[in-house]
């Protein structure tokens, strides 16, 4: 590899859970002052590998060197002490503490040894956020921040620990393009300070703009490593998925004319104002905007999760009232929410029960569930979406992110919706599952239904939508067929 | 039940390791514990395995059993009900007051009146928890005190005895040779099991406790479900109230004090998660039996009730430990 100093090296890392091999040959060579992309689909063994590097789990075999000397971390605390910090996919803020308190959690500035020195802590936090160009007030409580701002705080916290190795696991999955640019500036600062960064992201275009090297895992094993400049996007995708997938389906179907749903003047105080849009049969409409533009809020009120203050909804020429998700389902509108763990899935329950929950009334007689019918539906959906499960009674908790997302799609389909609202449907899932979901959406629309898709990924919008509506500060600022727009134009409208 | 055995069969075929034995123990540890307790008591005491004693055990656990069945619903939604002991006392008192004196009402009427009072009390808690969105712990703590107060007001602090014989049948009579209170417990548990395991309503109870926001997104009337479990708890508290009153042949204003703790203990020993969404009736029944057998067995062995309390406490903590091991396995 390049001549720069080798910071962290791992070789032949192996780990199995209850007899199942999750990782059989994990390795990486991370150099100081570089960003190293760790790529792989869900189930490739990345998370296991990172957990071992962080001391969260002990490997069955394999060796790790840090700065040339062999080491093995017994706990995250010892990994931190040795200079390895991680920013995980799962955010862990203390909601009722301030931003400053969260950043310095466990290493508070003190006064007289015992008392927390709020003034110093706040000043240091403000300096840190300022230096990183993160627009977050250190005095507010975490509870009041958006998901993206929380992510920035977590990143600031990890950076402030002055680690020599920083692991970022999907740092941009919850943030918009603008915040991503801010984050990349921060990463470049760290790079020039000699920090080595292991960067995990399913957003491939990001990797090409920030990473220097890559390592690909597949099915728990090492596949290839090299320099980013020596590989192109298609090649990287081939390495990740193993080259067995059909090419991305383009939603080229010409939409029919029938209007399925029309939103007129939807408003909700402080969130969105005077939204007018229509969904036609056969159409996938993208909803683009930066974080906090009011897209998710609008979708939630359309589905009846929250109430609107003003506005009318017309379906098939007649005005309808949707005040709860139950109403929405009755009018055959289904929704897949943004945060699948918090507001979609029942993690401790089985795949079967997760799939059937919204359609139980049609699967039951006199309120007794017909389990045979239920199992048949679950089985059909598992096959339809290629959900990887051991049995249909396996808890959803045990599935990978991509498969969990497919469970939600399966559930939404059981009520035979005509309109599907999905909020960031492919966030944080692997390339293979992403393609399958895009293919599903195209097929669903082609059957005469309509999709409203919120996405923060420009590429996703351009690749799978017919039309895009752009939100900015709670207002609808542009609408256009995708054929007439470019990524630059989209960003220009949104910001 | 059939699905879980099938699942185990398949999983077992795939990897028959020592781990699966541990998993088996974690899953059925409480049942094994119950078996061990029965075994130990039959060896240690000659009087234990007699039909008289076993009937006695069942009769003793029936009140706590009925309460624990209701508590399982409440805890499955992630809630708690601390007021059940007070509701039991009030409803027992209301029932008793209608079947005394020179012209007692029909016992059926008395029972229905008591059940209605129970439902109303539970519904009060339910309204505050589901719609006003106050924490269940606080609301039912308030109800615990308020309803006890109402009981004292209603009874003027005096017990009511000399109940009509028709009413006493509930606590002292037998049905096919089985004490009526045991039959009531059995029927309640059976019905509750069927509802939770096989009906749409049952699924929704699990869904609300498993993830309230997801449940809302799925179009479930979350508030309605939460309200309903407290109303049901009130109903079952009343059933326990009239049964206890009939058995002791008197309604005492101080009846049922701290009964909520035994009911919660039985549910927790049975492995139902206090955060909701995980658990079920069959293991709650096992929990009820374990508590009952411990009390009975330790009595037979002449161990002081002071020690019994310590042992019960340890049992609760041990049950939660087993539960934790099980979830660590699942993750």
């Amino acid at each position: 590899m390049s001549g720069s100093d080798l910071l962290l090296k791992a070789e032949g890392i192996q780990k199995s859970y209850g007899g199942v091999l999750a990782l059989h040959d994990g390795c990486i060579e991370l150099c100081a002052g570089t960003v190293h992309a760790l790529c792989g689909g869900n189930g490739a063994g990345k998370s296991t590998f990172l957990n071992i590097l962080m001391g969260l789990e002990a490997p069955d075999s394999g060796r790790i060197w840090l700065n040339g000397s062999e080491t093995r971390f017994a706990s995250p605390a010892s990994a931190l002490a040795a200079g390895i910090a991680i920013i995980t996919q799962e955010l862990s803020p203390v909601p009722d503490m301030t931003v400053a308190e969260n950043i310095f959690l466990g290493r508070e500035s003190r006064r007289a040894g015992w008392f927390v020195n709020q003034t110093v802590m706040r000043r240091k936090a403000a300096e840190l956020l300022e230096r990183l160009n993160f627009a977050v007030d250190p005095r507010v409580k975490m509870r009041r921040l958006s998901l993206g701002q929380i992510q920035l705080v977590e990143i600031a916290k990890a950076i402030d620990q002055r680690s020599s190795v920083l692991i970022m696991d999907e740092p941009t999955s919850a943030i918009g393009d603008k915040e991503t640019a801010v984050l990349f500036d921060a990463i470049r600062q760290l790079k020039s300070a000699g920090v080595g960064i292991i960067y995990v992201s399913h957003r491939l275009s990001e990797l090409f703009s920030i990473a220097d090297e890559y390592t690909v895992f597949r099915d728990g094993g090492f596949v290839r490593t090299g320099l980013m400049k020596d590989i192109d996007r298609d090649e990287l995708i081939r390495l990740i998925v193993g080259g067995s997938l059909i090419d991305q389906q383009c939603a080229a179907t010409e939409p029919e004319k029938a209007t399925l749903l029309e939103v007129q003047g939807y408003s909700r105080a402080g969130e969105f104002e005077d939204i007018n849009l229509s969904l036609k049969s056969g159409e996938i409409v993208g909803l683009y905007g930066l974080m906090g533009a009011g897209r998710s809020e609008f979708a939630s009120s359309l589905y009846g999760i929250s109430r609107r203050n003003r506005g009318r909804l017309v379906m098939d020429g007649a005005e309808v009232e949707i005040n709860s998700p139950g109403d929405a389902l009755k009018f055959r509108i289904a929704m897949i929410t943004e945060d699948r763990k918090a507001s979609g899935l029942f993690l401790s329950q089985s795949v079967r029960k997760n799939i059937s929950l919204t359609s139980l009334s049609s699967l039951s007689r006199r309120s007794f569930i017909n389990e045979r019918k239920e199992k048949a539906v679950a089985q059909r959906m598992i096959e339809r979406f290629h959900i990887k499960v051991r049995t249909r009674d396996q808890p959803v908790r045990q599935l990978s992110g991509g498969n969990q997302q497919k469970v939600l799609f399966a559930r939404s389909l059981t009520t035979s919706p005509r309109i599907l609202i999905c909020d960031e449907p492919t966030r944080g899932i692997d390339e293979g599952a992403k393609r399958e979901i895009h293919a599903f959406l195209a097929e669903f629309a082609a059957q005469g239904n309509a999709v409203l898709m919120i996405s923060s990924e420009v590429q996703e919008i351009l690749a799978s939508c017919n039309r895009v509506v752009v939100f900015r500060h709670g207002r609808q600022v542009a609408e256009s067929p995708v054929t007439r727009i470019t990524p630059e134009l989209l960003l220009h409208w949104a910001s | 039940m059939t699905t879980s055995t099938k699942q185990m069969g398949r999983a077992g075929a795939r990897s028959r390791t020592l781990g699966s034995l541990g998993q088996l123990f974690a899953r059925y540890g409480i049942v094994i514990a119950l078996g061990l307790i029965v075994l130990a008591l039959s060896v240690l005491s000659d009087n234990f395995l007699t039909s008289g004693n076993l009937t006695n055990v069942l009769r003793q656990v029936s009140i706590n059993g009925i309460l624990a069945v209701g508590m399982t619903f409440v805890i499955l939604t992630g809630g708690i009900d601390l007021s059940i002991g007070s509701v039991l006392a009030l409803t027992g008192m209301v029932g008793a007051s209608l079947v005394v004196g020179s012209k007692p009402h029909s016992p059926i009427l008395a029972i229905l009146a008591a059940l209605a009072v129970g439902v109303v009390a539970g519904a009060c808690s339910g309204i505050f928890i589901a719609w006003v969105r106050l924490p269940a712990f606080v609301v039912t703590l308030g109800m615990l005190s308020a309803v006890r107060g109402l009981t004292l007001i209603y009874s003027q602090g005096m017990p009511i005895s000399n109940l009509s014989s028709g009413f006493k049948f509930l606590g002292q009579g037998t049905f096919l040779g089985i004490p009526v209170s045991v039959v009531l417990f059995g029927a309640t548990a059976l019905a509750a099991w069927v509802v939770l395991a096989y009906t749409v309503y049952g699924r929704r109870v699990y869904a609300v406790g498993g993830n309230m926001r997801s449940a809302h997104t799925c179009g479930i009337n979350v508030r309605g479900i939460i309200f309903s479990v407290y109303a049901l708890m009130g109903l079952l508290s009343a059933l326990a109230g009239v049964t206890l009153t009939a058995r002791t042949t008197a309604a005492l204003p101080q009846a049922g004090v701290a009964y909520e703790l035994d009911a919660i203990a039985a549910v927790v020993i049975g492995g139902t998660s206090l955060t909701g969404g995980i658990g079920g009736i069959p293991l709650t029944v096992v929990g009820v039996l374990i508590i009952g057998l411990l009390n009975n067995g330790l009595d037979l062995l002449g161990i002081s009730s002071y020690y019994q309390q310590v042992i019960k406490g340890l049992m609760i903590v041990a049950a939660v430990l087993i539960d934790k091991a099980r979830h660590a396995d699942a993750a």
Side-chain angles (χ1 to χ4, degrees), chain B residues 203-272:
Chain B
R203 270 310 159 74
R204 291 184 176 163
V205 168
Y206 280 98
V208 167
N211 187 339
M212 208 176 280
R213 278 180 62 197
S214 295
H216 183 60
T217 308
C218 289
I220 292 172
N221 181 355
V222 173
R223 291 173 187 179
I225 296 284
I226 291 177
F227 171 77
S228 72
V229 296
Y230 289 93
L232 177 69
M233 182 77 253
L235 178 78
L236 292 179
S237 304
L239 181 64
V242 288
T243 311
L244 181 69
T245 304
R247 198 171 79 209
T248 53
T249 71
L252 308 173
Q254 290 305 332
V257 170
Y259 275 25
E260 64 280 355
L261 299 182
D262 263 0
I264 294 168
V267 175
V268 169
I269 288 175
T272 295

Side-chain angles (χ1 to χ4, degrees), chain A residues 1 8-15 21-30 36-41 43-49 198 213-227 231 236 238-242:
Chain A
M1 240 170 259
L8 177 80
K9 182 177 169 181
E11 202 177 83
I13 306 286
Q14 205 174 92
K15 175 80 185 172
L21 203 57
L23 182 68
H24 60 80
D25 179 23
C27 56
I28 199 165
E29 289 188 356
L30 176 68
H36 195 123
L38 180 60
C39 313
K46 289 175 316 212
S47 304
T48 308
F49 183 66
I198 298 178
E213 293 170 23
Y214 67 88
T215 292
V216 178
F217 284 9
R218 190 171 65 231
D219 300 327
F222 168 80
V223 176
R224 202 163 105 185
T225 185
L227 297 175
I231 190 170
L236 188 59
R238 255 197 304 284
L239 288 179
I240 292 171
V241 301

Side-chain angles (χ1 to χ4, degrees), chain A residues 179-304:
Chain A
E179 293 81 8
T180 304
V182 172
L183 172 67
F184 282 3
D185 284 341
I187 290 179
R188 290 189 191 103
Q189 279 186 40
L190 289 168
K191 245 173 78 169
S192 55
V195 175
I197 296 164
I198 298 178
Y199 192 93
V200 179
S201 175
H202 287 304
R203 297 185 180 181
L204 297 181
S205 44
E206 259 176 42
L207 300 181
F208 284 95
S209 62
I210 194 73
D212 306 300
E213 293 170 23
Y214 67 88
T215 292
V216 178
F217 284 9
R218 190 171 65 231
D219 300 327
F222 168 80
V223 176
R224 202 163 105 185
T225 185
L227 297 175
M228 283 310 279
K229 65 175 164 58
D230 298 336
I231 190 170
D232 65 9
R233 190 187 163 91
D234 291 343
E235 176 72 15
L236 188 59
I237 290 177
R238 255 197 304 284
L239 288 179
I240 292 171
V241 301
S244 64
L245 274 159
I246 338 115
D247 220 29
Q248 189 152 346
Q249 233 158 316
C250 188
T253 40
E254 196 55 35
E256 293 164 33
K257 287 287 164 275
T259 300
L260 293 183
L261 174 144
E262 201 174 341
V263 173
Q264 297 171 351
Y266 255 51
S267 303
R268 184 173 155 93
E271 290 183 348
F272 52 88
E273 179 90 33
D274 196 23
I275 306 299
N276 296 286
L277 63 85
S278 65
L279 292 176
K280 294 193 180 66
S281 166
E283 217 179 14
I284 301 181
V285 175
L287 214 51
Y288 183 77
L290 298 183
M291 223 176 59
R295 295 169 301 161
S296 300
E297 292 79 0
F298 166 68
S300 294
S301 83
L302 190 56
Y303 183 66

Side-chain angles (χ1 to χ4, degrees), chain A residues 42-43 340 388 396-405 430:
Chain A
N42 287 325
R340 60 179 165 266
K388 286 197 190 111
V396 163
R397 184 192 304 286
Q398 296 174 353
L399 307 189
S400 67
N403 282 308
Q404 289 182 343
Q405 192 73 358
D430 66 283

Side-chain angles (χ1 to χ4, degrees), chain A residues 366-405:
Chain A
R366 300 205 180 126
S367 86
F368 277 86
I369 296 163
N370 181 337
E371 287 208 6
R372 218 185 46 212
K373 249 191 191 169
E374 187 195 15
K375 282 174 191 163
V377 167
Q379 192 59 39
R380 206 171 67 228
M381 287 298 174
I382 286 169
E383 283 160 16
R384 163 82 181 74
F385 285 95
H386 310 288
I387 303 173
K388 286 197 190 111
V389 290
R390 267 188 289 115
T391 81
R392 52 178 179 257
D393 290 313
Q394 187 176 4
V396 163
R397 184 192 304 286
Q398 296 174 353
L399 307 189
S400 67
N403 282 308
Q404 289 182 343
Q405 192 73 358

